């Protein structure tokens, strides 16, 4: 894939309310650490590995955009060409694309969520999109399995289990016939009779996650956004609209060219020949468009909405909740350690050469200890990440947790299933279980907290 094939837009977000207190004005979502690397680095390097190096990164909020832009310049200046565009907060994914629409000129646009951590080959998604001449192709992945332990906090624990999508696929599992997201998941499924008749049957799936990675035909995307100003979300507005209207298409994708080809028999035959080279058998859209007997006086207007279902061996998750933050950090130093970019030791952990360990201190498998961090005597670290330049006293226990940078932890503290942000101080014998601690917070000596979100007021 070359830059002329697709333009790439990365929707990086900003100060996500779902991730407070882990994110803040000082630490926007794209820079949130995953295995001691900024979250956005996973998407950027996935794109780089697919030879997609000309990118537009959209960040919510001017201050966040400056921070993200500075980090990208310092890290990827010699490797990627990135334009960082700031948009107002809370414009939604559709609003963010409207704001950068004037930058888009290629025939197809790849839109990627900046919170995606995966190793799905993007070239395969793009190839499927082109092969079917689709207006949209959506990447679908297996639903991640949440951990039993982690930093979910009191509020998240009170919620119902996460619901993702209900998806209807044609018998070939290549075309989207139905999709329900958000509140629509709780409602009855309603499918157009014409769509079901054209496809023959529909497979209902509730085990797939919309990865928020889409290939769009640019002209169709821009038309839908222009004509539907109330659309806020790609996932909840634009994609369902395109799926619902695919057999009674109102989008003017290459309309003039299609009309001319229909009136010129030779050109029409040539198009059918080209189509047969791409598809072994016509899709139900092609059969429906030309009528049952193939003698319709004019073609019915249809468009194709495709699905690319990732292989189960691929890792794919979105970091859009506090629980996901815990789970993805766990996975990237565990079963998906190949995504981390680090070389793990024979003990299956990563300890920076400059880190210092006290006497009888153990750092177990699936752990990471960052540059310049120091641990006192008789500490225990299990299935956890500790960032850079942390100062940890003696007899400290850390399990199933993420500790960011420049954190000070006093003697005898216990941290379990928690996320501790940068510059936090835990005084002696403090206990955290299933908590999130915002940047700069001071946890008093001897205090115990369970399922709490602690942040400076």
């Amino acid at each position: 894939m070359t830059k002329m094939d697709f333009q790439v837009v990365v929707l990086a977000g900003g100060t996500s309310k779902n991730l407070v207190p882990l994110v803040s004005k000082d630490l926007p979502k794209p820079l949130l650490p995953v295995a001691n690397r900024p979250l956005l680095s996973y998407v950027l390097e996935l794109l780089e590995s697919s030879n997609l190096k000309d990118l537009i990164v959209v960040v919510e909020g001017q201050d966040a955009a400056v921070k993200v832009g500075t980090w990208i310049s310092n890290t990827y200046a010699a490797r990627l060409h990135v334009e960082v565009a700031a948009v107002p907060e809370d414009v939604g994914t559709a609003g963010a694309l409207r704001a950068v629409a004037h930058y888009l000129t290629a025939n197809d646009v790849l839109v990627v969520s900046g919170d995606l951590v995966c190793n799905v080959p993007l070239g395969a998604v793009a190839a499927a999109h082109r092969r079917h001449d689709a207006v949209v192709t959506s990447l679908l992945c297996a639903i991640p399995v949440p951990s039993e332990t982690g930093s979910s906090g009191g509020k998240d624990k009170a919620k119902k289990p996460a619901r993702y999508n209900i998806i209807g696929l044609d018998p070939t599992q290549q075309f989207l016939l139905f999709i329900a997201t958000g509140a629509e998941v709780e409602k009855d499924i309603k499918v157009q009779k014409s769509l079901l008749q054209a496809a023959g049957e529909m497979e209902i799936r509730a085990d797939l996650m919309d990865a928020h990675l889409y290939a769009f035909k640019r002209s169709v995307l821009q038309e839908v956004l222009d004509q539907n100003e109330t659309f806020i979300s790609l996932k909840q507005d634009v994609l369902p609209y395109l799926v619902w209207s695919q057999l009674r298409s109102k989008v003017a994708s290459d309309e003039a060219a299609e009309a001319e080809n229909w009136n010129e028999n030779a050109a029409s035959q040539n198009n059918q020949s080209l189509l047969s080279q791409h598809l072994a058998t016509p899709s139900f859209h092609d059969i429906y468009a030309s009528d049952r007997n193939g003698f319709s006086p004019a073609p019915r207007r249809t468009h194709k909405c495709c699905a690319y279902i990732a292989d189960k061996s691929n890792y794919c998750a979105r970091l859009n909740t506090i629980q996901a933050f815990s789970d993805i950090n766990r996975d990237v130093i565990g079963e998906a350690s190949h995504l981390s970019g680090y070389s793990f030791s024979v003990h299956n952990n990563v300890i920076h050469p400059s880190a210092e360990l006290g006497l009888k201190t153990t750092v177990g498998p699936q752990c990471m200890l960052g540059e310049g961090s120091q641990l006192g005597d008789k500490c225990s670290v299990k299935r956890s990440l500790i960032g850079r330049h942390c100062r940890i006293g003696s007899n400290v226990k850390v399990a199933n947790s993420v500790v960011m940078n420049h954190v000070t932890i006093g003697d005898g503290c216990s941290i379990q299933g928690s996320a501790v942000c940068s510059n936090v101080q835990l005084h002696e014998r403090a206990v955290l279980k299933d908590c999130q601690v915002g940047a700069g917070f001071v946890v008093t000596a001897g205090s115990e907290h369970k399922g709490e979100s602690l942040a400076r007021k």
Side-chain angles (χ1 to χ4, degrees), residues 351-373:
I351 300 176
H352 195 275
S354 65
E356 299 179 11
L357 304 183
L359 296 174
K360 297 184 180 180
T361 285
T362 59
V363 178
Q366 300 183 16
C367 287
M368 186 171 289
L369 183 58
E371 176 187 358
S373 287

mmCIF file of all heavy atoms in Angstrom, residues 351-373:
data_model
loop_
_atom_site.group_PDB
_atom_site.id
_atom_site.type_symbol
_atom_site.label_atom_id
_atom_site.label_comp_id
_atom_site.label_asym_id
_atom_site.label_seq_id
_atom_site.Cartn_x
_atom_site.Cartn_y
_atom_site.Cartn_z
ATOM 1 N N ILE A 351 13.285 -5.380 32.929
ATOM 2 C CA ILE A 351 13.840 -4.509 33.971
ATOM 3 C C ILE A 351 14.912 -3.639 33.323
ATOM 4 O O ILE A 351 15.893 -4.154 32.793
ATOM 5 C CB ILE A 351 14.439 -5.331 35.132
ATOM 6 C CG1 ILE A 351 13.349 -6.205 35.776
ATOM 7 C CG2 ILE A 351 15.069 -4.407 36.169
ATOM 8 C CD1 ILE A 351 13.861 -7.117 36.867
ATOM 9 N N HIS A 352 14.683 -2.326 33.319
ATOM 10 C CA HIS A 352 15.641 -1.424 32.678
ATOM 11 C C HIS A 352 17.008 -1.548 33.361
ATOM 12 O O HIS A 352 17.078 -1.681 34.599
ATOM 13 C CB HIS A 352 15.138 0.022 32.757
ATOM 14 C CG HIS A 352 15.870 0.936 31.842
ATOM 15 N ND1 HIS A 352 17.068 1.533 32.188
ATOM 16 C CD2 HIS A 352 15.586 1.367 30.587
ATOM 17 C CE1 HIS A 352 17.480 2.289 31.192
ATOM 18 N NE2 HIS A 352 16.604 2.209 30.205
ATOM 19 N N PRO A 353 18.095 -1.514 32.572
ATOM 20 C CA PRO A 353 19.435 -1.665 33.169
ATOM 21 C C PRO A 353 19.748 -0.654 34.271
ATOM 22 O O PRO A 353 20.549 -0.947 35.173
ATOM 23 C CB PRO A 353 20.374 -1.468 31.972
ATOM 24 C CG PRO A 353 19.551 -1.812 30.772
ATOM 25 C CD PRO A 353 18.151 -1.417 31.112
ATOM 26 N N SER A 354 19.121 0.524 34.225
ATOM 27 C CA SER A 354 19.410 1.548 35.226
ATOM 28 C C SER A 354 18.559 1.410 36.484
ATOM 29 O O SER A 354 18.765 2.145 37.457
ATOM 30 C CB SER A 354 19.203 2.946 34.631
ATOM 31 O OG SER A 354 17.832 3.145 34.296
ATOM 32 N N ALA A 355 17.585 0.480 36.475
ATOM 33 C CA ALA A 355 16.747 0.281 37.659
ATOM 34 C C ALA A 355 17.558 -0.410 38.763
ATOM 35 O O ALA A 355 18.474 -1.189 38.482
ATOM 36 C CB ALA A 355 15.521 -0.541 37.308
ATOM 37 N N GLU A 356 17.192 -0.134 40.006
ATOM 38 C CA GLU A 356 17.901 -0.699 41.146
ATOM 39 C C GLU A 356 16.937 -1.470 42.043
ATOM 40 O O GLU A 356 15.866 -0.970 42.391
ATOM 41 C CB GLU A 356 18.579 0.418 41.961
ATOM 42 C CG GLU A 356 19.614 1.209 41.169
ATOM 43 C CD GLU A 356 20.242 2.313 42.000
ATOM 44 O OE1 GLU A 356 20.035 2.335 43.242
ATOM 45 O OE2 GLU A 356 20.928 3.177 41.404
ATOM 46 N N LEU A 357 17.361 -2.680 42.422
ATOM 47 C CA LEU A 357 16.543 -3.535 43.280
ATOM 48 C C LEU A 357 17.261 -3.763 44.605
ATOM 49 O O LEU A 357 18.461 -4.058 44.642
ATOM 50 C CB LEU A 357 16.283 -4.891 42.615
ATOM 51 C CG LEU A 357 15.646 -4.893 41.221
ATOM 52 C CD1 LEU A 357 15.409 -6.319 40.750
ATOM 53 C CD2 LEU A 357 14.344 -4.114 41.219
ATOM 54 N N GLY A 358 16.509 -3.652 45.714
ATOM 55 C CA GLY A 358 17.073 -3.885 47.034
ATOM 56 C C GLY A 358 17.238 -5.364 47.329
ATOM 57 O O GLY A 358 16.875 -6.237 46.525
ATOM 58 N N LEU A 359 17.761 -5.667 48.517
ATOM 59 C CA LEU A 359 17.970 -7.045 48.932
ATOM 60 C C LEU A 359 16.640 -7.783 49.089
ATOM 61 O O LEU A 359 15.667 -7.237 49.619
ATOM 62 C CB LEU A 359 18.730 -7.067 50.257
ATOM 63 C CG LEU A 359 20.164 -6.503 50.229
ATOM 64 C CD1 LEU A 359 20.732 -6.455 51.643
ATOM 65 C CD2 LEU A 359 21.058 -7.328 49.313
ATOM 66 N N LYS A 360 16.607 -9.006 48.612
ATOM 67 C CA LYS A 360 15.438 -9.892 48.721
ATOM 68 C C LYS A 360 14.184 -9.290 48.077
ATOM 69 O O LYS A 360 13.060 -9.600 48.472
ATOM 70 C CB LYS A 360 15.160 -10.238 50.188
ATOM 71 C CG LYS A 360 16.281 -11.006 50.851
ATOM 72 C CD LYS A 360 15.923 -11.414 52.277
ATOM 73 C CE LYS A 360 17.063 -12.197 52.927
ATOM 74 N NZ LYS A 360 16.739 -12.610 54.319
ATOM 75 N N THR A 361 14.386 -8.415 47.077
ATOM 76 C CA THR A 361 13.265 -7.864 46.303
ATOM 77 C C THR A 361 13.073 -8.705 45.043
ATOM 78 O O THR A 361 14.049 -9.058 44.373
ATOM 79 C CB THR A 361 13.532 -6.400 45.927
ATOM 80 O OG1 THR A 361 13.339 -5.585 47.084
ATOM 81 C CG2 THR A 361 12.596 -5.912 44.830
ATOM 82 N N THR A 362 11.818 -9.042 44.740
ATOM 83 C CA THR A 362 11.527 -9.883 43.575
ATOM 84 C C THR A 362 10.609 -9.146 42.597
ATOM 85 O O THR A 362 9.647 -8.496 43.011
ATOM 86 C CB THR A 362 10.857 -11.206 44.000
ATOM 87 O OG1 THR A 362 9.633 -10.909 44.700
ATOM 88 C CG2 THR A 362 11.769 -12.007 44.905
ATOM 89 N N VAL A 363 10.937 -9.271 41.331
ATOM 90 C CA VAL A 363 10.095 -8.753 40.239
ATOM 91 C C VAL A 363 9.718 -9.963 39.400
ATOM 92 O O VAL A 363 10.569 -10.574 38.749
ATOM 93 C CB VAL A 363 10.837 -7.699 39.398
ATOM 94 C CG1 VAL A 363 9.951 -7.229 38.248
ATOM 95 C CG2 VAL A 363 11.258 -6.512 40.260
ATOM 96 N N GLY A 364 8.454 -10.331 39.422
ATOM 97 C CA GLY A 364 8.012 -11.577 38.818
ATOM 98 C C GLY A 364 7.826 -11.505 37.312
ATOM 99 O O GLY A 364 8.086 -10.484 36.678
ATOM 100 N N PRO A 365 7.349 -12.618 36.727
ATOM 101 C CA PRO A 365 7.036 -12.640 35.299
ATOM 102 C C PRO A 365 5.932 -11.633 34.972
ATOM 103 O O PRO A 365 5.140 -11.242 35.827
ATOM 104 C CB PRO A 365 6.558 -14.072 35.056
ATOM 105 C CG PRO A 365 7.039 -14.858 36.230
ATOM 106 C CD PRO A 365 7.069 -13.906 37.375
ATOM 107 N N GLN A 366 5.900 -11.240 33.702
ATOM 108 C CA GLN A 366 4.895 -10.300 33.204
ATOM 109 C C GLN A 366 4.911 -9.002 34.006
ATOM 110 O O GLN A 366 3.863 -8.465 34.385
ATOM 111 C CB GLN A 366 3.510 -10.935 33.210
ATOM 112 C CG GLN A 366 3.422 -12.182 32.348
ATOM 113 C CD GLN A 366 2.032 -12.783 32.296
ATOM 114 O OE1 GLN A 366 1.051 -12.140 32.646
ATOM 115 N NE2 GLN A 366 1.941 -14.017 31.853
ATOM 116 N N CYS A 367 6.136 -8.512 34.254
ATOM 117 C CA CYS A 367 6.321 -7.231 34.932
ATOM 118 C C CYS A 367 7.250 -6.348 34.116
ATOM 119 O O CYS A 367 8.039 -6.833 33.298
ATOM 120 C CB CYS A 367 6.920 -7.433 36.331
ATOM 121 S SG CYS A 367 5.780 -8.117 37.539
ATOM 122 N N MET A 368 7.173 -5.049 34.367
ATOM 123 C CA MET A 368 8.047 -4.093 33.703
ATOM 124 C C MET A 368 8.471 -3.046 34.719
ATOM 125 O O MET A 368 7.637 -2.519 35.465
ATOM 126 C CB MET A 368 7.321 -3.445 32.520
ATOM 127 C CG MET A 368 8.197 -2.530 31.675
ATOM 128 S SD MET A 368 7.334 -2.013 30.159
ATOM 129 C CE MET A 368 7.351 -3.561 29.255
ATOM 130 N N LEU A 369 9.769 -2.764 34.736
ATOM 131 C CA LEU A 369 10.334 -1.774 35.648
ATOM 132 C C LEU A 369 11.109 -0.770 34.816
ATOM 133 O O LEU A 369 12.058 -1.128 34.109
ATOM 134 C CB LEU A 369 11.240 -2.456 36.672
ATOM 135 C CG LEU A 369 11.872 -1.587 37.763
ATOM 136 C CD1 LEU A 369 10.794 -0.870 38.569
ATOM 137 C CD2 LEU A 369 12.729 -2.450 38.687
ATOM 138 N N GLY A 370 10.709 0.509 34.898
ATOM 139 C CA GLY A 370 11.221 1.528 34.005
ATOM 140 C C GLY A 370 12.562 2.110 34.402
ATOM 141 O O GLY A 370 13.112 1.844 35.480
ATOM 142 N N GLU A 371 13.050 2.955 33.527
ATOM 143 C CA GLU A 371 14.356 3.598 33.669
ATOM 144 C C GLU A 371 14.478 4.369 34.982
ATOM 145 O O GLU A 371 13.602 5.141 35.354
ATOM 146 C CB GLU A 371 14.568 4.560 32.499
ATOM 147 C CG GLU A 371 15.834 5.388 32.552
ATOM 148 C CD GLU A 371 15.890 6.416 31.453
ATOM 149 O OE1 GLU A 371 14.954 6.455 30.618
ATOM 150 O OE2 GLU A 371 16.864 7.189 31.428
ATOM 151 N N GLY A 372 15.598 4.140 35.679
ATOM 152 C CA GLY A 372 15.931 4.935 36.846
ATOM 153 C C GLY A 372 15.099 4.677 38.090
ATOM 154 O O GLY A 372 15.264 5.376 39.095
ATOM 155 N N SER A 373 14.200 3.700 38.064
ATOM 156 C CA SER A 373 13.368 3.431 39.248
ATOM 157 C C SER A 373 14.147 2.622 40.275
ATOM 158 O O SER A 373 15.021 1.819 39.936
ATOM 159 C CB SER A 373 12.085 2.704 38.853
ATOM 160 O OG SER A 373 11.206 3.598 38.190
#
